[in-house]
Amino acid sequence: RLSGDIRIRGYLSDKANAQDVGIRHNDGPDAQFITQRTRVTVEADLEDHVTAVVTLQAASIWGDYNSGLNDYAGTGRAGMVGVSEAYVQLRELFYSPATLKLGRQSLNYGTGLIISSADQMYTFDAGRLVLDYHPLTIDIVGAQLANTQEFSPAASEGNGQSDMLFVNGKYEVNGSVVKNIEGYFGWASQMRTPQQFGINTATTPSPLLIGLRTDLTPWENLTASLEGAYEFGNANSSETIIYGPSHAGDKTISAFLLNAALKYTLKGVVWTPVFNASYTYASGDSLVGNADHSMNTRHTFVPWFGMAEGYNGYVFAPALSNIQIFNLGASVKPAANTTLALQGYYYLKANRNGIVSSDPNANLGGLGSSSMYNDSRDVGAEIDAIVGYDYSKDVRCQLVYGALFPNTAMEGISRTISQVRGELNVKF
């Protein structure tokens, strides 16, 4: 079977790609550019229970054939083709309720707070074992995130590898209110590839994570989700030092991530209005120096792989660290193939003396990798207006206008930052 997609996006960016906003630059440059992602997937059923899948991907900016575009599938330079997926799936392994997927693959759990493949911008080199004991499903993932070892034993000193273990259990309740309950445990060693893991190039944390999530239907037409996670383990951050002797080895993590979301659909009403609201909290810590010349980072949540396109604002695209995100939105369908949506966000620091940053993993979104270091809590607000049009069942168009209204936490930015993005997505 042969399938694939072509996604073309055009950007009009008004001061929305500044680097180090609030430290060196008052505003970022204006920019107009077009990006393209092309994927072709070949899927073959070798036996009744054996499937092989390979996806080739090319990502580029039109007219730019030398510099790389953020692509987390390892395609290398812009315009070059790389393998974004390549795995073998063995179903009913040894006549058991087990399915094994081995190779490069995408992963997604819950709403994507921890691990998300919503935009399929990066994939994992992993082995995944799914045990289906309906209504209980247990998902076990072992992945190698990075490997810098060399063949020579002497040369391997100081190098090594970064691994991840993730276990997710999901129980389908099928009750009148509670639909499912999920619990998960994760461990990652030496997260150190900044394009994929976290927001700081100088840190190599080894966090452990435990969490719970559930989906609810409290009333007819009303759905809700709740999720909470506790993160602990070794921070191992060289950035915790302002001056003087290093105490980074003593640093540990004790941080929280919370999310609650509601969605209400007015069925049987003209244009079928849908209203949504959510709140996200990622803990942070103060960067005020201590007596031992170190900084507090113990309570700062280390983001995992939760990048989801447009998840918390197209312009700011915040990293889930030291931040509170309030969201209200609504959408309508004036025609069967047209959707109009309006989403509003308000951002606050979790700790006023900590930093907050855009997510560098967001697809050309956010304010570069900018951080806000001052002691104000109010980061700002964003409004996103979205028009979606289904030209056919395989061709979708989208137009997004996002405007970020900075507040006092954004030093040096006194004007609205905006971005217009148009998209054509064709699947075949």
Side-chain angles (χ1 to χ4, degrees):
R1 293 182 293 276
L2 187 68
S3 62
D5 66 271
I6 299 173
R7 189 188 70 187
I8 300 173
R9 284 178 175 170
Y11 293 82
L12 294 175
S13 174
D14 176 23
K15 309 295 192 265
N17 290 286
Q19 298 290 327
D20 296 321
V21 171
I23 304 174
R24 300 182 184 90
H25 301 285
N26 182 54
D27 288 307
D30 294 334
Q32 304 84 33
F33 51 91
I34 298 174
T35 68
Q36 180 168 335
R37 184 187 70 184
T38 306
R39 297 184 296 187
V40 177
T41 298
V42 178
E43 184 175 349
D45 290 330
L46 307 180
E47 301 288 346
D48 288 342
H49 306 300
V50 181
T51 302
V53 177
V54 176
T55 299
L56 301 181
Q57 173 175 296
S60 63
I61 297 176
W62 282 16
D64 183 357
Y65 300 102
N66 296 312
S67 63
L69 170 67
N70 284 350
D71 97 78
Y72 310 104
T75 64
R77 295 193 313 159
M80 300 295 288
V81 177
V83 177
S84 63
E85 280 186 317
Y87 65 87
V88 176
Q89 178 173 279
L90 307 176
R91 296 182 298 275
E92 298 180 10
L93 195 64
F94 301 116
Y95 306 101
S96 71
T99 296
L100 177 65
K101 288 179 67 174
L102 195 63
R104 181 167 293 181
Q105 56 192 282
S106 60
L107 300 170
N108 192 92
Y109 295 97
T111 58
L113 273 180
I114 306 300
I115 296 179
S116 168
S117 64
D119 202 37
Q120 297 177 315
M121 286 301 294
Y122 54 75
T123 49
F124 294 83
D125 295 324
R128 179 184 181 190
L129 181 65
V130 180
L131 304 173
D132 188 358
Y133 302 105
H134 186 77
L136 174 65
T137 302
I138 301 174
D139 206 330
I140 304 171
V141 176
Q144 190 156 98
L145 305 177
N147 193 329
T148 58
Q149 298 178 96
E150 299 180 28
F151 290 107
S152 169
S156 66
E157 293 183 8
N159 295 329
Q161 65 189 56
S162 176
D163 302 307
M164 181 186 75
L165 172 67
F166 194 83
V167 180
N168 189 90
K170 182 176 182 179
Y171 186 82
E172 300 284 350
V173 179
N174 291 324
S176 58
V177 176
V178 180
K179 297 303 179 183
N180 57 65
I181 298 174
E182 295 185 60
Y184 53 86
F185 167 80
W187 168 76
S189 67
Q190 302 180 60
M191 288 182 171
R192 65 184 181 280
T193 306
Q195 288 80 11
Q196 294 182 342
F197 322 129
I199 59 174
N200 197 323
T201 60
T203 63
T204 57
S206 296
L208 293 100
L209 188 76
I210 56 173
L212 289 171
R213 70 169 70 92
T214 184
D215 293 320
L216 310 169
T217 307
W219 300 287
E220 185 179 5
N221 303 335
L222 177 66
T223 60
S225 65
L226 299 171
E227 183 168 354
Y230 174 67
E231 187 177 54
F232 56 106
N234 183 13
N236 192 22
S237 169
S238 61
E239 287 294 288
T240 59
I241 306 306
I242 300 178
Y243 60 89
S246 172
H247 299 273
D250 299 329
K251 297 295 179 180
T252 58
I253 303 170
S254 180
F256 294 91
L257 180 66
L258 304 171
N259 175 259
L262 295 170
K263 184 169 73 173
Y264 185 74
T265 304
L266 288 174
K267 296 181 180 179
V269 178
V270 177
W271 291 14
T272 316
V274 178
F275 302 94
N276 64 277
S278 67
Y279 171 75
T280 303
Y281 174 89
S283 64
D285 213 332
S286 171
L287 293 186
V288 176
N290 295 320
D292 63 354
H293 310 307
S294 66
M295 293 186 288
N296 303 311
T297 57
R298 174 175 169 81
H299 301 299
T300 300
F301 188 84
V302 178
W304 283 52
F305 314 97
M307 188 276 287
E309 183 63 28
Y311 185 65
N312 287 310
Y314 286 91
V315 179
F316 185 37
L320 293 181
S321 183
N322 190 41
I323 196 165
Q324 299 181 72
I325 305 168
F326 301 84
N327 165 235
L328 287 174
S331 66
V332 294
K333 291 183 69 67
N337 56 358
T338 304
T339 302
L340 306 177
L342 186 66
Q343 297 292 330
Y345 303 89
Y346 192 77
Y347 310 105
L348 292 174
K349 289 182 181 178
N351 187 304
R352 67 185 313 120
N353 293 311
I355 64 172
V356 65
S357 172
S358 289
D359 187 347
N361 301 336
N363 182 32
L364 298 175
L367 305 177
S369 57
S370 309
S371 299
M372 292 74 185
Y373 284 89
N374 67 20
D375 60 359
S376 173
R377 187 182 297 273
D378 294 323
V379 178
E382 178 171 335
I383 294 178
D384 294 339
I386 307 162
V387 180
Y389 176 71
D390 295 326
Y391 181 80
S392 69
K393 67 176 182 179
D394 299 315
V395 181
R396 179 168 177 78
C397 307
Q398 187 185 70
L399 182 64
V400 177
Y401 172 78
L404 175 65
F405 305 93
N407 212 318
T408 51
M410 291 188 176
E411 285 186 61
I413 305 178
S414 58
R415 63 188 301 279
T416 301
I417 301 172
S418 63
Q419 185 180 98
V420 178
R421 194 188 83 179
E423 174 178 311
L424 174 67
N425 199 330
V426 180
K427 296 183 179 181
F428 58 88

